[in-house]
Structures are given as C-alpha cells and as structure tokens.
Amino acid sequence: PTFLYENSLRTVEKMLSSMLARNSAIFPRLGLMSAPYRAAGLSPRLTAPVTTSVQEEQAKFWQKNAQKKRPMSPHLTIYKPQLTSMLSITHRATGAALTGGMYLFAMHMLVFPAFGWDFTMAINMIKGWELPWAAIVSAKWLLAWPVAYHTLNGFRHMAWDLGYGFNISTLYKSGWIVFLSSFLVADLMVFLL
C-alpha cells in the first residue's frame, strides 16, 4: 500500500509540475510557485528552468513586429466595417441612449413636480416655442428611430437565442431587413403617433 501511495503521489507531482511549468515559465522566477508547491507537498525542482527574462521576450516580440511592420495592436482602423459589426455597435448605442433617455425622463417626472412643474407644463412650454413643423418631425424621428431599431434588432437577438439565423446569409439578410425596416417603423411612429 505504501508503494502505491508513493507511486501515485509521484505521478500527480509530475503531472502538476509539468502542467504548471508548461503554462507559465515566469511564476517560478518570481517565487510565486513555492507556496502552492509547499502546500501540496510538491517540489519546485521539477519546473522547467527559465532561459530568458520577460524583458528579453518582450524585446524580441516588439522587434519582430517592427520588422514585419505590424500595427501596435488590432484597432478599428485596420478592419473593414462589416454589416454585422456595425449593427451590433448600433444596437449597443441605441440601448445606451434609450436607457439614458429613460433615466432622464424618470428624473424629470420625479424632480420637476417639486418645483411646480409637471408633464403638461413641459409640453405647453414646447408648444409655446412655436417650432416649425420640420423641426418637430425631425425631433420626433430622432426619438422614434432608436426605439424602432433597438426593438426590431431585439427580435433578431431573440431569434438567435432560440437558435435560428446563424448562417452568414441569414445574418446579412436579417441585418438588412432590421436596418431598413427600422426607418419605416420610425416613420410610421412619427406620423401615426
């Protein structure tokens, strides 16, 4: 029984030490492995020796990238805009704008009555400005389009949650449908509401 115990302990020690050494060569150099090794009853002598310092590795990396004229890091300027990424960014932006607008409206409804203002007074004040029809329609459209787009793209996301529409052609078709339909729905909201 003692032989089996010692043999299995050596096997576990070899597996752990090779795994730890393979995954990170810097930890033994920093002394970060000693406590876990001691806690597990293992020996740090089984880890692979560090042959180069981190600074040397970084210098090699940057030198190679400079020779190959690579950009410092992937950035939006090196990617060709794709419909899917633009729709995703727009979905996030409209979600943030709608959330911010909701909070502003809620704060307006909570705080302004304390000063004697209410919603009808705000509407009457805006009517008193006698804005041209084009300005009113434009303002309504700027409020309606994010709602329309975010709602329609939300249905698209719900279809994805159900496992539909993941092949590339369907992604692009549904993306164009959502994008173009959002303008139609926003127009309907402006003129019918």
Side-chain angles (χ1 to χ4, degrees):
T2 308
F3 171 74
L4 289 175
Y5 174 75
E6 288 176 1
N7 196 16
S8 62
L9 189 61
R10 276 193 212 103
T11 305
V12 169
E13 181 181 16
K14 286 179 186 178
M15 285 177 17
L16 283 175
S17 64
S18 66
M19 182 176 63
L20 292 172
R22 184 175 56 241
N23 288 337
S24 178
I26 191 171
F27 287 131
R29 189 172 184 94
L30 297 175
L32 298 174
M33 299 294 251
S34 57
Y37 271 125
R38 278 196 300 269
L42 302 174
S43 169
R45 63 182 159 72
L46 296 174
T47 59
V50 178
T51 56
T52 60
S53 71
V54 174
Q55 290 82 11
E56 290 170 347
E57 288 296 323
Q58 285 179 344
K60 285 182 196 175
F61 173 79
W62 290 115
Q63 185 179 20
K64 181 176 77 171
N65 283 341
Q67 287 171 349
K68 293 187 176 192
K69 295 185 173 127
R70 291 178 176 163
M72 191 173 244
S73 66
H75 194 268
L76 291 177
T77 58
I78 68 169
Y79 294 111
K80 178 183 174 190
Q82 298 173 340
L83 177 69
T84 51
S85 62
M86 294 297 111
L87 292 176
S88 176
I89 291 167
T90 306
H91 187 75
R92 292 166 193 250
T94 56
L98 291 170
T99 302
M102 180 195 65
Y103 280 119
L104 286 174
F105 182 74
M107 294 307 295
H108 163 80
M109 297 302 285
L110 287 172
V111 173
F112 278 13
F115 298 105
W117 280 52
D118 61 0
F119 189 66
T120 54
M121 284 182 73
I123 294 295
N124 289 332
M125 182 184 75
I126 292 170
K127 284 182 181 179
W129 292 342
E130 297 180 6
L131 296 170
W133 179 82
I136 292 171
V137 168
S138 298
K140 286 173 72 175
W141 196 87
L142 287 173
L143 292 172
W145 186 79
V147 173
Y149 175 79
H150 198 77
T151 302
L152 292 172
N153 206 38
F155 289 130
R156 188 171 171 236
H157 278 265
M158 285 195 291
W160 292 345
D161 291 342
L162 295 173
Y164 298 107
F166 281 114
N167 62 19
I168 296 297
S169 66
T170 306
L171 281 172
Y172 276 87
K173 284 177 191 173
S174 65
W176 279 114
I177 289 169
V178 163
F179 184 69
L180 297 173
S181 298
S182 68
F183 290 99
L184 176 66
V185 171
D187 291 343
L188 291 172
M189 289 171 69
V190 166
F191 292 108
L192 297 178
L193 298 179

